[in-house]
Amino acid sequence: MTRAELIHQIKEKRSFLCVGLDTDLTKIPEHLLDDEDPIYSFNKAIIDATADLCVAYKPNIAFYECYGLKGWQSLQKTWAALPKDCFSIADAKRGDIGNTSGRYAMAFFDESNSGLGFDSITIAPYMGKDSVTPFLDFKSKWAIVLALTSNEGSLDFQNFENKEGLQLFEQVIDKVNTWGNIDNLMYVVGATRGEGFIKIREHAPEHFLLVPGVGAQGGSLEDVCKYGMNRDCGLLVNSTRGIIYASKGRDFAERAREEALKLQKEMEIELLKAGIIS
C-alpha cells in the first residue's frame, strides 16, 4: 500500500484505527477452542466485525510463532483474510545483519516464498543501517522502526542524551531518516508518552507514526492527536485488548465492533478538528 492509498483510506473511513491481533488461546471465547483453527476463527470474526471501522490490522507475530507450524498456518490464513483496503502490519520487531534481514523481509513481504505479503513490518534498529535497509528494497513496502516505546524498560536506553543534548530516540530518527523517506518509513511511538510527540515531530514531521498504548494501556487519544497529528493525519493508532477481548462470550465479535466504533467516532472528531475531513 502506498502513502497516498493509506491517506485515502483514512479520509474514506474517517478513521486512523489499527486493530491489533494478538490472539491468545487462553483469552478467546471457549466455544471457539473446538474449531479446527481457533486462532483463525477468532481473527476472522474480529476482522469481519471491524473492517469498515479501521484502516490497519497488526498481528503480533509472537502470538503465532509460539504454536509452531500450526501458528504459522493461522497467520497465513489471517493475512489472506485481511481486507485489501486495510494496511497490514507484521508486528515482528525484527532486526539483524543484512543477509538475515533480507530473509526476514522475504518471510513477511514475499508471498510467493512464504505465503505472506504484509505491507509493513516493525523493526528494531539497534544494529544499524543493514538491519533496516533490506526491508526498504521491496517496492511499496514499509519499515516501521522502533523510536520511543511506552514499556517501562524503554527508560533503560531510549532517553539517554549525547553531549549535544539529543536523546537516543531522536538520534535514531535522524539517522534512519537518511535511509528511507516518508513513503517507506514509519516510527513506533508509544501513546503513554504524551508530550514526547512534540520531540518526535521535530525530527519526523511528515512520517506516519504507529501508536500503541491507547485504551487498555492508558494512552490518551486526545493527547496523541494534539501533539502527534500532522496535515495528512500521520497516525495509525493501535488498540488491541480493548477491542478484541471486549467479551469472552458468543457476542465477542459484536462487542469488538462496539468498542472499535467508539474509537472510530473519537477519531472522526479529531480528523474534523484538524480539517483533514469535512
Side-chain angles (χ1 to χ4, degrees), residues 20-42:
L21 296 174
D22 303 5
T23 307
D24 185 338
L25 285 176
T26 68
K27 295 181 179 179
I28 69 174
E30 288 187 7
H31 73 274
L32 294 177
L33 297 178
D34 292 330
D35 289 4
E36 181 180 355
D37 188 341
I39 291 176
Y40 173 69
S41 296
F42 178 81

Side-chain angles (χ1 to χ4, degrees), residues 248-263:
K248 288 196 70 172
R250 292 183 178 273
D251 65 342
F252 75 96
E254 291 83 358
R255 289 290 307 282
R257 179 175 179 79
E258 290 173 9
E259 295 304 315
L261 182 60
K262 289 177 187 176
L263 273 174

Side-chain angles (χ1 to χ4, degrees), residues 126-144:
Y126 187 77
M127 293 183 72
K129 182 176 182 179
D130 55 345
S131 65
V132 176
T133 53
F135 297 94
L136 303 178
D137 291 335
F138 284 76
K139 185 178 179 181
S140 298
K141 303 293 185 179
W142 296 73
I144 307 180

Side-chain angles (χ1 to χ4, degrees), residues 5-140:
E5 290 169 338
L6 178 55
I7 293 169
H8 173 76
Q9 287 302 314
I10 289 170
K11 293 178 178 179
E12 185 80 9
K13 294 184 176 179
R14 308 171 81 83
S15 171
F16 44 98
L17 176 61
C18 174
V19 174
L21 296 174
D22 303 5
T23 307
D24 185 338
L25 285 176
T26 68
K27 295 181 179 179
I28 69 174
E30 288 187 7
H31 73 274
L32 294 177
L33 297 178
D34 292 330
D35 289 4
E36 181 180 355
D37 188 341
I39 291 176
Y40 173 69
S41 296
F42 178 81
N43 288 351
K44 183 66 165 60
I46 295 291
I47 292 165
D48 289 346
T50 60
D52 62 320
L53 303 174
C54 67
V55 297
Y57 288 95
K58 182 178 71 67
N60 185 321
I61 304 306
F63 286 82
Y64 301 85
E65 289 180 325
C66 68
Y67 297 115
L69 178 59
K70 287 185 177 180
W72 193 262
Q73 291 170 338
S74 298
L75 179 63
Q76 289 173 320
K77 289 192 287 183
T78 296
W79 173 78
L82 296 178
K84 298 312 175 189
D85 65 348
C86 287
F87 187 72
S88 58
I89 303 168
D91 189 5
K93 299 181 180 68
R94 297 301 196 251
D96 209 325
I97 59 172
N99 286 340
T100 309
S101 284
R103 293 301 184 271
Y104 281 141
M106 288 176 62
F108 293 101
F109 289 165
D110 189 345
E111 184 184 359
S112 64
N113 275 297
S114 66
L116 296 173
F118 281 93
D119 294 309
S120 64
I121 185 172
T122 55
I123 299 172
Y126 187 77
M127 293 183 72
K129 182 176 182 179
D130 55 345
S131 65
V132 176
T133 53
F135 297 94
L136 303 178
D137 291 335
F138 284 76
K139 185 178 179 181
S140 298

